[in-house]
Amino acid sequence: MNQNVDFQSFDWPTFCADHGIPYVERGPNVARGHIGVACPLCGDDPSHHMGLNTSDSRWGCWRDQSHRGRSPVYLVQSFLSIDK
């Protein structure tokens, strides 16, 4: 297995579309160059407070600063309900 996986090219829109995760491309909680999804880590996100950067793998929640990261692995596990 290759330990040097390049997540800089992770395609969030395709991942979301392939897994039935609703997202928005613009709106009050969506920064330029991001898509917005309901934060899977908050559990009660009524809107699209999780921003997924479309130019690299970074992600972050507007509601809780501890819900941020650079690698998609942890977030993908949360979206797909995979045990860590």
Side-chain angles (χ1 to χ4, degrees):
M1 178 179 208
N2 184 355
Q3 296 295 325
N4 298 318
V5 177
D6 178 17
F7 289 122
Q8 294 303 314
S9 60
F10 194 81
D11 186 344
W12 286 117
T14 298
F15 170 79
C16 290
D18 288 351
H19 293 88
I21 300 166
Y23 68 92
V24 294
E25 296 175 322
R26 57 183 73 94
N29 296 326
V30 183
R32 182 177 299 161
H34 292 71
I35 61 172
V37 297
C39 179
L41 305 173
C42 284
D44 65 346
D45 187 350
S47 188
H48 301 98
H49 290 108
M50 172 71 69
L52 307 175
N53 192 310
T54 58
S55 63
D56 61 29
S57 61
R58 291 179 298 152
W59 48 274
C61 177
W62 293 97
R63 296 172 76 196
D64 187 332
Q65 290 187 358
S66 70
H67 299 166
R68 295 185 180 186
R70 294 179 186 266
S71 169
V73 175
Y74 179 70
L75 189 60
V76 166
Q77 288 175 323
S78 294
F79 277 125
L80 301 181
S81 299
I82 298 172
D83 289 333
K84 297 159 187 91

